[in-house]
Structure formats: C-alpha cells, structure tokens
Amino acid sequence: MGDWLLHAARKLNLTNASLNVLEATFEPAELNLYPLVFHAKSLKTIIDKELIANGFKTDFIIEARINFQFINPKIYWVGIYCFPYLIDKTGRRYEPGRIIAEGLEPYFDHFDERNIHPMGKNLE
C-alpha cells in the first residue's frame, strides 16, 4: 500500500494526505484508487479484532485516521511520514507518534487502468 500511496502522491505533487481508516477513504479524493481503498478496508477489521481481543466493543473507537507527509523528493524519494491516531468514545486520543515508512517498489503508473485492475474490474 505504501508504494501505491507514494507513487500517486509524487505524481499529484502532494506534500500531505490523509486516510480515514473507519471509512477507508483518502483525502485528497484522487487517492481513492481501487488498490489503496481495497487494502485500507482491512485496517478497520484489524482494529475491530484488537478491540474484541481486549474486551471492548467494536464501536469503542469513533475515529481512526492516518495523516501522511511526503518527504521532499529531492531529499528522500521513498520516504513517507505517517501520523496515526485513534479517538475512543470517551474522547481519549491515542497517538503513537511519527512512523517512517518507505515505498521501495520501482516506479509504476498507478493511474494506468491495467495496474489498478490487472485482472479486470470485476474484483470488488
């Protein structure tokens, strides 16, 4: 997912983006590409499993977001700073701090329909 996000952000000249984890939607909307959204949908399932495993109901988390900052490509082409956070029903915010991710896949055209749906559009 990091490679898709990084290459799309570079193509769109973005410095920041955001993922609403509970809805599996990206901002800006141009990032709502099938491969990104497809993988983002699994994140809510991961949160729900962790909540249940720790004795909480799945509606305990009311907001889950990851804010992304794309490092200046002249300094570090493959770098992505990720700032995830969760907010629970009581309003408490959980924030692990900055996570550095890298997109290491060679460049590919993430907007090319053959890359988005390599086996056809009927995969959803």
Side-chain angles (χ1 to χ4, degrees), residues 59-70:
D59 66 349
F60 183 70
I61 297 298
I62 61 167
E63 184 177 348
R65 187 170 290 274
I66 304 172
N67 294 316
F68 303 100
Q69 188 178 61
F70 305 101

Side-chain angles (χ1 to χ4, degrees), residues 10-31:
R10 296 286 189 230
K11 178 79 171 186
L12 296 168
N13 295 315
L14 298 177
T15 56
N16 296 290
S18 183
L19 167 61
N20 180 329
V21 174
L22 301 181
E23 295 179 11
T25 57
F26 288 86
E27 293 173 19
E30 293 90 350
L31 293 176

Side-chain angles (χ1 to χ4, degrees), residues 17 23 26 28 42 68 74 83 95 98 107 116 124:
E23 295 179 11
F26 288 86
S42 66
F68 303 100
K74 292 178 182 174
F83 301 91
E95 221 171 332
R98 181 181 73 183
Y107 180 80
I116 295 173
E124 293 180 44

Side-chain angles (χ1 to χ4, degrees), residues 98-119:
R98 181 181 73 183
I99 298 169
I100 301 173
E102 294 180 331
L104 300 175
E105 190 74 25
Y107 180 80
F108 57 93
D109 186 354
H110 39 277
F111 292 110
D112 184 330
E113 200 58 39
R114 293 171 295 186
N115 290 330
I116 295 173
H117 300 285
M119 300 172 70

